[in-house]
Amino acid sequence: MTPRSATQSRILWLIAAFKLFKGLALLALGVATLKLLHKDVIYEVERWADLFRVDPGNFYVHKALARLSILDDRKLEELSVGTFFYSALLLTEGTGLFLQKRWAEYFTIIVTSSFIPLEIYEIVKRATAGKVILLLINLAVVAYLVVEVRQNPEIE
């Protein structure tokens, strides 16, 4: 069994940190979504915008309010289930990569690759810098892990 180089370990930890950050952010979003159940969503979003000192005339606040105005309790529940599921995937990937487990590398390749077509579809539908950057990061993660797994198949 060949040990990983310091650079390989740092890159894996960086990928793990990225996955864990996204997973924790989605977990927080899922909890926030559940807290909106049986409440006036628009009022709560306006309250949060005020709490975080966001300009009430802000274009993005109005855009978010327009999108959130169509959410009812059923849609909030569906959104939270999807968010928790995706969060669990990301947290599993991140934890396994942080522990430098080979299964986590394969798991991350499979899961991350499976979302790339959806990301491309979203970019084609409406391109934003954030979507493109996220796609590029995910492509780099998959490419790095594929090369890593192929070059060092004996590492646990």
Side-chain angles (χ1 to χ4, degrees):
M1 190 185 298
T2 307
R4 293 184 195 279
S5 72
T7 302
Q8 289 171 316
S9 293
R10 277 193 296 272
I11 292 171
L12 276 181
W13 285 339
L14 182 63
I15 295 169
F18 176 64
K19 296 290 184 175
L20 289 169
F21 174 76
K22 285 186 352 180
L24 291 172
L26 283 175
L27 182 64
L29 180 63
V31 170
T33 303
L34 285 178
K35 288 189 163 277
L36 288 175
L37 284 174
H38 312 298
K39 293 186 179 175
D40 181 2
V41 176
I42 301 299
Y43 171 77
E44 291 298 323
V45 172
E46 287 174 343
R47 193 173 64 82
W48 290 350
D50 185 49
L51 180 69
F52 290 109
R53 306 280 190 246
V54 177
D55 177 21
N58 185 303
F59 169 77
Y60 296 106
V61 171
H62 285 285
K63 193 171 182 176
L65 289 173
R67 286 191 175 171
L68 293 171
S69 66
I70 62 169
L71 294 178
D72 57 15
D73 283 349
R74 182 170 173 258
K75 287 180 183 171
L76 286 171
E77 287 171 351
E78 291 170 355
L79 181 62
S80 67
V81 167
T83 302
F84 285 130
F85 177 75
Y86 190 40
S87 172
L89 287 176
L90 289 166
L91 293 172
T92 302
E93 290 176 71
T95 302
L97 290 172
F98 182 75
L99 298 173
Q100 297 187 11
K101 299 295 182 183
R102 179 59 67 163
W103 63 261
E105 294 176 22
Y106 285 108
F107 185 65
T108 302
I109 290 168
I110 292 166
V111 171
T112 305
S113 297
S114 69
F115 285 105
I116 288 174
L118 180 62
E119 292 174 0
I120 292 170
Y121 171 77
E122 286 295 321
I123 289 171
V124 168
K125 197 167 115 180
R126 183 170 178 276
T128 65
K131 289 178 185 178
V132 172
I133 290 169
L134 190 61
L135 173 64
L136 293 175
I137 290 170
N138 285 333
L139 287 170
V141 165
V142 170
Y144 174 79
L145 291 176
V146 166
V147 169
E148 173 67 22
V149 166
R150 291 189 67 168
Q151 285 182 349
N152 301 305
E154 70 279 352
I155 293 177
E156 167 26 34

